[in-house]
Amino acid sequence: MLISYEVVIEDNILFFRYLLFPVVLILLLLNLMTYALADDAANEKHKWFLTIFAGPSAQPDLENVLLFNMRFEDDTYIAVAALAREFWRYDKWISFEVEGQAGKYFGNEHQWQFNGLIIGRWQRFPWDKYLNTSLAVGDGLSYNAETSKIEKKDDEDAGKWLNYLMFELTLGLPEYPRWNFVYRIHHRSSIRERIGAGASNFVAFGIKYSF
């Protein structure tokens, strides 16, 4: 009977630990929403961003993915919904955002993934009056509800928590400033085994809506 109680207690601890990260993200975003509603209503700049993107797992490593020298072998995909809020901007040049993500694997894997990150975005390019363009990089923390088979193949000690890194290119027409096409590299890794073990890359495409 004592063993049974210990198992129940341990299961409850694991359950609440797994819930902690998404709950913290939700509370943070709610706080930002409250702050946004208090902003000057005359400010016409849209500071909230909803991004939906999806794509396949890519090998072998981040360096090759960045150089478009990649392979798609695992038949594993991810679909992600991301909500972001701009919190600082310097004129029309650069801005910073906080973003929370909820993602779902499909194909050979089916677990959920939750990410929280800070994003720096370069906003200005010479051709913006013809094609609105921005380039962003973000870094934060990532949690998988189950250990990824891809990451375990990369490192036998792979776990659920890893560092999260993303690179994003957005393109949009000036006539429709709220809508942008998105290309993202969605990367999890251990930062040379400083956070967990293993790594994975996804190459994704999607849509971003500003409001």
Side-chain angles (χ1 to χ4, degrees), residues 9-81:
I9 292 171
E10 184 177 350
D11 287 345
N12 286 334
I13 291 172
L14 288 172
F15 176 74
F16 286 113
R17 190 179 72 182
Y18 294 159
L19 278 180
L20 181 62
F21 188 52
V23 167
V24 169
L25 283 177
I26 290 169
L27 291 174
L28 176 61
L29 289 169
L30 286 174
N31 182 60
L32 287 171
M33 185 177 292
T34 302
Y35 171 77
L37 291 173
D39 276 352
D40 183 3
N43 184 2
E44 62 182 20
K45 180 65 184 176
H46 306 119
K47 294 188 176 183
W48 284 90
F49 312 101
L50 177 63
T51 308
I52 307 295
F53 60 92
S57 168
Q59 296 80 35
D61 51 40
L62 178 60
E63 290 78 8
N64 279 283
V65 171
L66 288 170
L67 294 172
F68 300 99
N69 181 27
M70 61 194 102
R71 304 187 306 272
F72 305 99
E73 301 172 345
D74 292 309
D75 195 27
T76 299
Y77 307 83
I78 196 168
V80 179

Side-chain angles (χ1 to χ4, degrees), residues 4-207:
S4 177
Y5 283 136
E6 288 177 349
V7 170
V8 170
I9 292 171
E10 184 177 350
D11 287 345
N12 286 334
I13 291 172
L14 288 172
F15 176 74
F16 286 113
R17 190 179 72 182
Y18 294 159
L19 278 180
L20 181 62
F21 188 52
V23 167
V24 169
L25 283 177
I26 290 169
L27 291 174
L28 176 61
L29 289 169
L30 286 174
N31 182 60
L32 287 171
M33 185 177 292
T34 302
Y35 171 77
L37 291 173
D39 276 352
D40 183 3
N43 184 2
E44 62 182 20
K45 180 65 184 176
H46 306 119
K47 294 188 176 183
W48 284 90
F49 312 101
L50 177 63
T51 308
I52 307 295
F53 60 92
S57 168
Q59 296 80 35
D61 51 40
L62 178 60
E63 290 78 8
N64 279 283
V65 171
L66 288 170
L67 294 172
F68 300 99
N69 181 27
M70 61 194 102
R71 304 187 306 272
F72 305 99
E73 301 172 345
D74 292 309
D75 195 27
T76 299
Y77 307 83
I78 196 168
V80 179
L83 182 63
R85 171 63 159 84
E86 180 184 304
F87 63 87
W88 187 85
R89 171 183 285 260
Y90 175 71
D91 197 19
K92 296 181 179 180
W93 292 94
I94 191 169
S95 63
F96 287 89
E97 306 156 20
V98 60
E99 181 174 277
Q101 303 179 0
K104 183 71 166 65
Y105 284 70
F106 56 102
N108 280 341
E109 300 190 38
H110 302 282
Q111 69 268 22
W112 285 89
Q113 182 183 105
F114 302 96
N115 305 315
L117 60 151
I118 300 293
I119 298 170
R121 185 178 302 278
W122 184 261
Q123 298 276 5
R124 197 159 189 176
F125 290 86
W127 53 84
D128 279 344
K129 67 178 181 179
Y130 307 107
L131 185 66
N132 280 335
T133 305
S134 77
L135 193 61
V137 59
D139 190 77
L141 193 60
S142 178
Y143 172 76
N144 268 356
E146 299 176 15
T147 301
S148 168
K149 298 174 185 175
I150 296 170
E151 292 167 0
K152 199 165 184 66
K153 184 168 68 173
D154 181 73
D155 191 316
E156 189 64 29
D157 296 325
K160 298 176 180 179
W161 290 94
L162 283 173
N163 182 71
Y164 177 76
L165 182 64
M166 79 83 165
F167 298 90
E168 180 186 84
L169 171 69
T170 71
L171 300 170
L173 296 174
E175 309 93 271
Y176 305 99
R178 290 186 177 223
W179 295 95
N180 281 279
F181 168 81
V182 172
Y183 170 72
R184 274 204 189 198
I185 295 174
H186 182 89
H187 173 77
R188 277 170 44 101
S189 67
S190 63
I191 320 180
R192 301 187 182 276
E193 300 184 354
R194 289 183 174 86
I195 302 177
S200 61
N201 309 291
F202 289 84
V203 174
F205 298 88
I207 295 293

